Amino acid sequence: MSDVLSTRLQQRLVLSGTGPSSESPVLDLDAVIFDILSRLPPKSLLRFRCVCKAWRTLISDPYFIKEHLSRVNNSCSYSVFVKDVSTFRSIDSEALFRDDDGPVPSRELYFPVINGLKFDEIHIVGSCNGLICLRFKWCLPVIMLWNPCTRESKVLPKLHTKDLFPSSPDYYGFGYDSATDDYKVIVGDFRYLASYKNCILVYTVKTGSWRKLQYHGLALLGYGCLVNGALHWVQEEPWEAEVDSYKLVSFDLTEEKFHEIPSPYYPNNPIDRRNHLVASAGKFRNSLALYSRGPGSEYMMWVMKEAGVEKSWNEVIKIPKEVLHVSGDHHRHHIIWTPLCISNDGVTLIVVCAIPHHTGSFLRFLTFYYPKENRCRNLTEHCVSEAVTYVETLVSPFARTGM
């Protein structure tokens, strides 16, 4: 749909309740159709594009897609995106938290075939507004944006970065910049020139290209967690330090600048390396969360109720080490946990990564934690590689006028 037609549609929607006189409201059929369709799930809308050319044009219009996304986000409905041994699967949140201990239904997602791709080399960078960002574990990584609902996918331009990244980059992030109405992917490395300098590449969907930024002194690893327009990591102090020390660091996608976030008690205090503290940043009901394993080996989650306010950190989950386990054999594993989502009554879905002491290999499972009974239940039918939450939308990985 052209800019002129899209603008005209928006004007008609605004004016649909007024007629020649204030006493004679006029029913605008286009506005009614728009309102009804924007409330439907994406799968239905994808089928309804075949009804007629007008509906196909409307459902593909950037303004409609944006309004539909707004309704999806306000509905609080979501799914869990799971990478298992050989497929990607989706689990609906309503099916996930139903009141029984039976198996949780899931459905396989269609994934585009890419020549030379090995499925076990795919890693999930993050999800945002229905788009999943994936990287392929090659020396110079290939990165893809994919909407599992619409099946649209886009492989980003190759990273010709051997002069910038001596090996594979150290950290990644994906999110939405509301100021420019654009999606951004960042790739970074802190070992640039064998010092603690950061080299960051930023890709924007609208430009379709990468550009370089430089920062200093940020030893980041892994995938940034997107919360309120910023990516978050737990920064570990250099390995040369005698004690472990952690800082929460955010990267504002609009400013494209790093900031330090005040931390709750444990991650902000030096910990003897013999009582190694494992911590990571996450998202909890649209607020910043911190997951850790404390000196006493209990598993804890804090949530920052007010963005940037140190005193607003609250401990919301504390799981004894005896409860969180894999196949009842927690004594033989080193456990890393990542809460994914939580029901209204506090039941929490967790990705448990168990590292057997004798092999060092990774075992990952989806696990329920029931706070009232103080127990866990492994979803043994879902041995996973990685998992994130996502929403089903019509958002495209390609730049479109008006988005």
Side-chain angles (χ1 to χ4, degrees):
M1 185 178 284
S2 67
D3 289 344
V4 175
L5 188 55
S6 183
T7 301
R8 190 168 66 209
L9 172 62
Q10 296 178 44
Q11 292 173 343
R12 292 184 67 179
L13 291 170
V14 173
L15 299 173
S16 60
T18 60
S21 68
S22 59
E23 297 179 357
S24 304
V26 176
L27 180 63
D28 190 321
L29 184 58
D30 287 344
V32 173
I33 293 174
F34 183 101
D35 185 65
I36 293 173
L37 292 181
S38 66
R39 298 173 187 272
L40 299 179
K43 292 177 185 177
S44 299
L45 293 173
L46 293 174
R47 294 197 304 270
F48 292 165
R49 290 184 302 182
C50 300
V51 171
C52 61
K53 289 184 179 179
W55 279 28
R56 184 178 185 87
T57 302
L58 173 62
I59 294 169
S60 302
D61 180 70
Y63 178 71
F64 177 86
I65 293 173
K66 200 169 184 180
E67 288 298 303
H68 181 266
L69 172 64
S70 176
R71 292 187 185 274
V72 169
N73 287 334
N74 289 334
S75 70
C76 298
S77 63
Y78 62 91
S79 299
V80 176
F81 177 83
V82 176
K83 177 181 180 286
D84 58 27
V85 177
S86 59
T87 61
F88 288 109
R89 309 192 71 84
S90 178
I91 306 173
D92 183 74
S93 60
E94 292 185 5
L96 191 66
F97 291 114
R98 64 186 184 186
D99 297 328
D100 62 63
D101 284 352
V104 177
S106 66
R107 57 185 175 85
E108 184 175 343
L109 298 171
Y110 168 82
F111 184 70
V113 176
I114 298 178
N115 293 333
L117 170 66
K118 294 181 179 179
F119 192 81
D120 60 356
E121 293 183 339
I122 302 175
H123 295 274
I124 303 171
V125 174
S127 72
C128 178
N129 292 342
L131 295 179
I132 307 291
C133 182
L134 303 171
R135 77 173 179 93
F136 306 149
K137 191 179 178 182
W138 295 334
C139 184
L140 292 178
V142 174
I143 299 176
M144 170 191 279
L145 296 181
W146 173 40
N147 184 325
C149 183
T150 64
R151 299 187 177 185
E152 282 188 298
S153 63
K154 178 181 182 181
V155 176
L156 306 192
K158 291 183 179 180
L159 293 167
H160 298 290
T161 57
K162 288 185 178 180
D163 56 329
L164 302 178
F165 303 148
S167 58
S168 179
D170 293 300
Y171 59 94
Y172 302 79
F174 170 61
Y176 175 69
D177 177 4
S178 60
T180 60
D181 193 18
D182 202 357
Y183 292 86
K184 295 181 178 180
V185 178
I186 73 166
V187 176
D189 181 45
F190 71 84
R191 294 169 294 185
Y192 178 46
L193 297 178
S195 65
Y196 285 101
K197 293 181 180 179
N198 280 77
C199 176
I200 299 176
L201 295 179
V202 179
Y203 174 88
T204 57
V205 168
K206 284 187 175 180
T207 64
S209 61
W210 296 92
R211 54 190 170 81
K212 185 173 74 171
L213 303 175
Q214 278 191 329
Y215 291 92
H216 297 269
L218 292 172
L220 304 180
L221 292 171
Y223 307 121
C225 175
L226 180 65
V227 185
N228 297 326
L231 295 163
H232 297 78
W233 291 266
V234 173
Q235 176 193 359
E236 185 174 344
E237 292 300 298
W239 285 107
E240 291 79 5
E242 295 182 358
V243 295
D244 286 338
S245 182
Y246 292 80
K247 294 180 181 179
L248 268 173
V249 175
S250 70
F251 180 80
D252 188 290
L253 287 168
T254 298
E255 297 178 351
E256 296 187 346
K257 293 181 180 180
F258 283 99
H259 303 278
E260 185 175 339
I261 306 295
S263 305
Y265 176 75
Y266 282 110
N268 207 32
N269 282 267
I271 302 295
D272 189 285
R273 285 195 181 276
R274 290 171 297 179
N275 294 315
H276 185 72
L277 176 71
V278 177
S280 60
K283 184 177 181 179
F284 176 83
R285 293 176 178 169
N286 296 320
S287 296
L288 179 63
L290 187 73
Y291 318 133
S292 75
R293 181 179 179 183
S297 295
E298 64 275 7
Y299 301 90
M300 298 167 288
M301 179 172 77
W302 290 269
V303 173
M304 180 178 270
K305 300 292 185 180
E306 298 180 44
V309 179
E310 183 174 4
K311 293 183 178 179
S312 71
W313 281 107
N314 287 316
E315 183 184 290
V316 296
I317 294 177
K318 188 172 185 177
I319 307 176
K321 63 179 180 179
E322 297 82 8
V323 175
L324 191 59
H325 59 87
V326 176
S327 301
D329 197 11
H330 59 277
H331 296 293
R332 297 186 181 181
H333 297 86
H334 173 67
I335 299 293
I336 300 174
W337 76 305
T338 305
L340 276 180
C341 49
I342 190 168
S343 68
N344 292 330
D345 56 358
V347 177
T348 308
L349 181 67
I350 302 168
V351 176
V352 177
C353 177
I355 309 173
H357 295 314
H358 62 287
T359 65
S361 59
F362 289 82
L363 300 173
R364 287 186 176 91
F365 295 86
L366 292 178
T367 298
F368 282 122
Y369 172 63
Y370 301 91
K372 293 180 180 178
E373 298 91 349
N374 195 28
R375 68 179 178 92
C376 287
R377 176 172 69 92
N378 293 333
L379 303 184
T380 54
E381 69 272 22
H382 292 296
C383 182
V384 305
S385 174
E386 298 173 41
V388 294
T389 57
Y390 81 109
V391 291
E392 293 191 338
T393 71
L394 299 172
V395 174
S396 173
F398 298 91
R400 287 179 176 173
T401 305
M403 281 297 287

